[in-house]
Amino acid sequence: MSLDDLKYVKVKTHPTARNQAVSTQPLLAGSIILSNQAFATVLFENQKGRRCDHCLVLSETLRKCSGCASCCYCDANCQTRHWPSHKKLCKRWNSFASSNEFQALPPHERLDCVLLSYFASPLSADDQLAIFKSLLPGPTHHSPPPTCTPVDGADGLYDRFGNNNFTIHSHLNSFAHGIFPLASRLFNHSCTPNAAARYKLVRGQAVTMEVVALRDIAEGEEICIPYLDPALLQTRQQIFQLTYGFQCTCISCEGLKSVGPIPDVPQDPARFAALEYRLRTFIGVDDLEHCVLRTKPITQSLPSEIRCFLKEDYIEHLSGVFSQSSHDGPYDRALDSGTTLLAMYLLIYPENYPQIGMHALELAKTAWNASMPMNDIVRRQHAMAQVRACLSVSRRILGLYGPEGDGGGPLAEITTLQQLVDQEG
Ligand SMILES: [Zn+2]
Ligand SMILES: [Zn+2]
Ligand SMILES: [Zn+2]
């Protein structure tokens, strides 16, 4: 597929970036804007032997390549399809992988070694290769990592890795890196994007990135995706500068700028709890069963006393408390921290952002578990109302985002929990 074959997007000039991708027609939320099959992928080291090296599908009956015993495949078909890019590595891989120079590399550079090796034997007719070579290099030159087979023009190719390659996920959990030249060529970044990437795994085929509309998009509107997690409130601007060579001016970044320096969170536990309550009421999540959950972008109207929660490590702290207490209890603590985290997500992320849906599902499951041992009817009814409210939010958002990666996952969990809730009456 080339730039000329696109249906829903076209490339237009942009005032500051190289280009922009705009919609050619009105698009409904949930529409697939672009399908882009991977040019090259590499599994994280902890996924090797669990997933097929060609199609990335999980399997318990993979067969190893007899040449290197390093790559694993679903069957002969996957192995045959992977062979054109694997053949130059196969014989040399084991001695290269055990070498000191490879072992000394940080994990992401080891993955880059493999991705870079794909360029040693690209199919000459591959128009994705031409698109990849036409991408802009990142702002800083980094010497390419060693490759186990010579790659022509490795320097120039590697300069396009940091600012263009993607992390592939299943149910939003990352497990591989990939090169998707067309998607790189088309979409600019926004911290409040109107589209996001999901990955489709089909046995026997290279993984496909699907760019999905998160909300209705008007004809001629620019389509943006997030290059990194917008929750990196304090460091993201620096990452854009260093890795991508631009400054983000999305409404969230402008809002953050208008808010000014972020104060420290208070040390006094009572004051801290009072401010968290203030945050939840400001966003409107404190009474989950009666509220309408809506995103509320960061603007100057964010009350000054709760601006301390924009500290990046606060979200990390909150996620830690929630994930630990939702597993081990106490559930009161899990529901409390989970509701505050939901408020933060509604502040940071744009409408229908999949992470909001994932968290709402976790919160629904936690409220369900919390309701089980409750004998007090009023408390139990309250918890069940929370389950329903969170479940409906996660169904709306994740239903729109659609299935991603491996089978099962959040959509199946939503169906199961909904059945349990329906049985309760
Ligand atoms: Zn396979
Ligand atoms: Zn091999
Ligand atoms: Zn931004």
Side-chain angles (χ1 to χ4, degrees):
M1 185 183 248
S2 74
L3 288 173
D4 302 325
D5 305 327
L6 300 168
K7 189 170 175 197
Y8 301 114
V9 270
K10 64 178 180 193
V11 176
K12 258 184 71 174
T13 53
H14 186 279
T16 53
R18 179 193 195 182
N19 283 133
Q20 60 182 330
V22 298
S23 61
T24 56
Q25 56 186 273
L27 297 168
L28 290 175
S31 314
I32 297 174
I33 300 166
L34 177 83
S35 290
N36 185 191
Q37 201 162 46
F39 171 72
T41 55
V42 59
L43 288 169
F44 288 179
E45 286 176 359
N46 65 4
Q47 300 292 315
K48 290 285 285 178
R50 297 186 65 221
R51 294 178 182 273
C52 171
D53 277 285
H54 172 61
C55 67
L56 312 189
V57 166
L58 275 174
S59 170
E60 284 174 7
T61 54
L62 294 170
R63 42 188 270 176
K64 285 182 179 173
C65 168
S66 58
C68 61
S70 163
C71 281
C72 295
Y73 302 102
C74 299
D75 50 27
N77 173 48
C78 281
Q79 182 164 19
T80 307
R81 284 169 180 260
H82 198 236
W83 184 245
S85 41
H86 179 58
K87 67 180 175 194
K88 290 216 175 170
L89 275 75
C90 187
K91 289 279 182 286
R92 307 175 194 201
W93 179 254
N94 286 320
S95 60
F96 176 71
S98 56
S99 68
N100 289 339
E101 62 173 349
F102 180 79
Q103 288 295 328
L105 296 171
H108 74 274
E109 285 192 27
R110 289 192 218 164
L111 300 183
D112 286 347
C113 286
V114 181
L115 283 179
L116 203 51
S117 313
Y118 274 79
F119 291 90
S121 51
L123 305 170
S124 56
D126 198 326
D127 49 14
Q128 294 229 69
L129 175 66
I131 298 176
F132 184 83
K133 287 182 173 172
S134 79
L135 299 174
L136 293 177
T140 332
H141 173 70
H142 297 284
S143 298
T147 48
C148 78
T149 181
V151 176
D152 284 345
D155 266 65
L157 294 167
Y158 194 60
D159 280 342
R160 286 155 176 81
F161 269 37
N163 59 331
N164 286 297
N165 292 355
F166 289 86
T167 300
I168 299 170
H169 35 79
S170 165
H171 312 148
L172 302 183
N173 293 313
S174 307
F175 68 89
H177 281 171
I179 301 178
F180 298 86
L182 194 55
S184 296
R185 179 71 182 80
L186 284 171
F187 302 108
N188 289 327
H189 162 86
S190 170
C191 308
T192 50
N194 52 9
R198 70 173 187 220
Y199 296 89
K200 190 169 146 189
L201 302 182
V202 178
R203 185 175 160 138
Q205 295 178 14
V207 59
T208 299
M209 175 201 285
E210 293 177 330
V211 176
V212 184
L214 295 180
R215 57 169 172 78
D216 294 351
I217 296 173
E219 182 178 338
E221 193 179 334
E222 181 176 12
I223 297 164
C224 292
I225 59 172
Y227 289 0
L228 50 79
D229 186 351
L232 297 167
L233 291 168
Q234 291 174 288
T235 47
R236 66 189 190 196
Q237 209 59 269
Q238 205 182 352
I239 300 174
F240 297 140
Q241 289 281 7
L242 292 175
T243 309
Y244 299 92
F246 69 85
Q247 196 173 8
C248 187
T249 54
C250 74
I251 54 159
S252 170
C253 286
E254 291 299 299
L256 267 175
K257 209 159 86 179
S258 74
V259 160
I262 301 167
D264 289 332
V265 288
Q267 296 299 312
D268 174 46
R271 172 84 182 135
F272 191 89
L275 287 186
E276 283 192 320
Y277 178 72
R278 176 87 177 89
L279 167 72
R280 292 198 298 262
T281 46
F282 175 73
I283 304 292
V285 293
D286 212 47
D287 181 9
L288 272 179
E289 55 186 295
H290 294 113
C291 70
V292 185
L293 292 171
R294 296 234 66 114
T295 52
K296 207 163 191 171
I298 299 164
T299 63
Q300 242 176 334
S301 66
L302 186 70
S304 56
E305 70 270 26
I306 57 173
R307 291 179 185 178
C308 58
F309 295 129
L310 298 176
K311 287 255 188 229
E312 214 168 277
D313 52 6
Y314 172 66
I315 286 222
E316 215 174 296
H317 154 81
L318 207 50
S319 310
V321 173
F322 174 66
S323 79
Q324 197 193 0
S325 51
S326 60
H327 283 112
D328 311 334
Y331 288 132
D332 282 354
R333 186 166 155 81
L335 286 175
D336 185 61
S337 56
T339 308
T340 312
L341 189 57
L342 183 62
M344 284 303 293
Y345 279 5
L346 292 168
L347 184 65
I348 289 167
Y349 293 130
E351 201 183 330
N352 297 328
Y353 201 67
Q355 268 75 2
I356 303 175
M358 285 296 259
H359 179 61
L361 174 59
E362 288 308 310
L363 200 50
K365 281 157 47 183
T366 304
W368 171 262
N369 291 337
S371 76
M372 282 293 100
M374 283 177 187
N375 293 321
D376 179 332
I377 288 182
V378 177
R379 280 189 66 208
R380 191 175 157 86
Q381 280 176 343
H382 177 70
M384 286 306 294
Q386 284 187 322
V387 177
R388 285 192 200 91
C390 291
L391 202 51
S392 111
V393 171
S394 67
R395 192 189 316 104
R396 176 168 56 79
I397 295 178
L398 296 177
L400 195 141
Y401 181 62
E404 185 193 53
D406 306 319
L411 292 176
E413 288 180 20
I414 288 170
T415 307
T416 307
L417 186 53
Q418 188 65 57
Q419 283 164 353
L420 293 172
V421 171
D422 292 345
Q423 283 163 16
E424 280 281 302

